Amino acid sequence: MRSYIVFTKKELIEYGRTYKFFILFTIFIALGFMNPLTAKFMPKILESFMPEEIEIQLPPPSSLDSWAQFFKNVTQTGLFVAIIIFSGMMSREYEKGTLVNMITKGLPRQTVILSKFTASTLLWTLSYWTCFVITHIYTMYFWKGETVLELATSTLFLYLFGIMLISVLLIGSTLFKNSYGGLLFTGGFIAILFLLKLSHKIDNYNPLQLANQNINLLSGNLHPSELKSPLFVCCTVIILSIISSILIFDKKQI
Amino acid sequence: MDQYIEYLPVIIPLFIIQIILSITAVIHVIRHPNYRFGKKRVWIPVVLFIGFIGPFIYFIFGRGDD
């Protein structure tokens, strides 16, 4: 247990010293500010691009638009940035050989994996929820009195989806000695999720729903209970990924 | 101009974050002149003028090991 805490601390310090935490955090803060702003400006931007002959009637932006921006930006930009930042989790250690010393001195191998997962999840948690709070404050400021349904559940779903991607990235990063291997592995995983969308039957279990259906949840078109099975699959993937990363790393030559 | 005053509470913090990001990156570029690729005279404008993406690319891909 002590080695777990010490190694997690070392991980966090490393994220700080390599500016990775700084970059992730500032980008998420910036996204938090940008979401309500883009939602507010979107009709004006569209208008300026339209030729004058075409008259379009755009409804005034609502708080739902602001949250739509949140879910769009976090899934497209935020998760992308997070995955790139975490992509070298294990492979950088292989490349530099920095783990050899610690493991030969008696650091349990599973501790390494668990600490890596904890540290990256902590960073994701902090950045994600900061972004959420900022968007929330400004959405309340710009659209006073407007509320959306199931906001907490909906954001929690996307948060879990992020953790799932981190855990999948952990397997990828443990498997390959090159950090691009981990990236490709996660990319492949996401591609498979998108392919599974084609089949209606499987799509009911597709964890991608947790990142895609958020707006339907907010507008009341979908009840959270309908996403029970994707949620279950998502949690299973997280647990299985961690276990298999530990198993892979146990056999890995470092 | 009046219509934009309403947005100042968002635009100002966004601007400040941008400045912090750029300045931190510029200081790092100048202080650590060994990069994985590129040169100082390339990195400084990249970091200063390409919004949020410049500093991101620098810290993640361009920064050399200390």
Side-chain angles (χ1 to χ4, degrees):
Chain A
M1 196 61 202
R2 231 196 89 219
S3 59
Y4 168 72
I5 294 169
V6 171
F7 198 73
T8 312
K9 229 186 214 166
K10 173 241 155 206
E11 276 301 303
L12 290 175
I13 293 171
E14 193 179 328
Y15 278 125
R17 294 230 175 112
T18 51
Y19 290 86
K20 283 180 175 167
F21 175 61
F22 170 71
I23 285 285
L24 188 70
F25 198 60
T26 39
I27 286 185
F28 268 85
I29 291 179
L31 283 180
F33 284 113
M34 251 136 63
N35 298 327
L37 195 67
T38 341
K40 202 84 182 161
F41 269 123
M42 201 43 109
K44 276 183 192 151
I45 296 169
L46 283 177
E47 245 168 52
S48 63
F49 277 117
M50 287 286 168
E52 274 181 29
E53 304 91 64
I54 304 173
E55 277 271 320
I56 39 159
Q57 286 292 320
L58 290 167
S62 67
S63 57
L64 202 61
D65 288 312
S66 173
W67 288 112
Q69 286 294 329
F70 173 82
F71 288 114
K72 197 193 107 226
N73 283 335
V74 170
T75 43
Q76 288 175 4
T77 319
L79 271 175
F80 186 71
V81 168
I83 285 175
I84 290 184
I85 284 178
F86 296 136
S87 65
M89 263 195 281
M90 294 297 288
S91 19
R92 266 188 85 79
E93 304 261 12
Y94 296 150
E95 271 171 24
K96 290 183 170 175
T98 33
L99 280 178
V100 181
N101 249 330
M102 283 182 264
I103 284 179
T104 45
K105 293 253 166 72
L107 180 73
R109 282 185 173 220
Q110 71 215 38
T111 309
V112 177
I113 297 283
L114 289 176
S115 296
K116 293 261 175 197
F117 179 72
T118 317
S120 47
T121 309
L122 267 178
L123 252 60
W124 161 247
T125 310
L126 202 64
S127 321
Y128 180 81
W129 292 111
T130 314
C131 177
F132 169 76
V133 168
I134 293 172
T135 306
H136 196 46
I137 290 171
Y138 279 98
T139 308
M140 285 199 302
Y141 167 77
F142 280 132
W143 293 275
K144 284 184 189 78
E146 272 186 50
T147 47
V148 285
L149 299 159
E150 307 289 354
L151 185 59
T153 337
S154 190
T155 38
L156 195 69
F157 281 170
L158 182 56
Y159 169 69
L160 281 174
F161 184 78
I163 295 186
M164 183 183 75
L165 286 190
I166 292 174
S167 67
V168 170
L169 184 65
L170 186 63
I171 310 184
S173 196
T174 319
L175 269 175
F176 300 102
K177 293 217 162 171
N178 190 313
S179 58
Y180 296 109
L183 273 183
L184 277 178
F185 187 83
T186 319
F189 177 76
I190 297 171
I192 291 172
L193 291 186
F194 271 104
L195 280 178
L196 290 180
K197 253 176 96 167
L198 298 175
S199 155
H200 241 318
K201 239 186 199 159
I202 307 176
D203 197 37
N204 290 333
Y205 296 92
N206 196 340
L208 195 64
Q209 298 235 17
L210 299 179
N212 270 346
Q213 299 287 5
N214 313 71
I215 284 304
N216 287 334
L217 285 174
L218 294 187
S219 57
N221 291 337
L222 196 74
H223 194 261
S225 64
E226 287 173 67
L227 289 181
K228 236 186 249 163
S229 3
L231 189 66
F232 177 73
V233 174
C234 176
C235 296
T236 321
V237 171
I238 295 175
I239 295 166
L240 284 182
S241 306
I242 298 171
I243 295 174
S244 44
S245 303
I246 292 176
L247 293 178
I248 293 168
F249 188 53
D250 263 340
K251 299 242 159 65
K252 188 98 185 171
Q253 220 175 1
I254 50 167
Chain B
M1 195 56 214
D2 268 1
Q3 51 174 335
Y4 294 112
I5 291 203
E6 188 192 355
Y7 304 116
L8 282 185
V10 192
I11 295 171
I12 291 171
L14 205 57
F15 186 68
I16 294 172
I17 294 168
Q18 168 76 67
I19 299 282
I20 293 175
L21 208 58
S22 297
I23 288 178
T24 326
V26 166
I27 292 173
H28 197 278
V29 169
I30 294 169
R31 278 206 186 149
H32 304 78
N34 50 322
Y35 319 108
R36 245 173 266 167
F37 55 86
K39 289 198 172 103
K40 194 186 271 182
R41 60 169 190 271
V42 179
W43 277 121
I44 290 178
V46 163
V47 150
L48 275 180
F49 301 117
I50 314 184
F52 288 95
I53 304 164
F56 170 71
I57 294 177
Y58 171 69
F59 278 122
I60 302 303
F61 301 109
R63 194 178 62 91
D65 295 315
D66 299 326

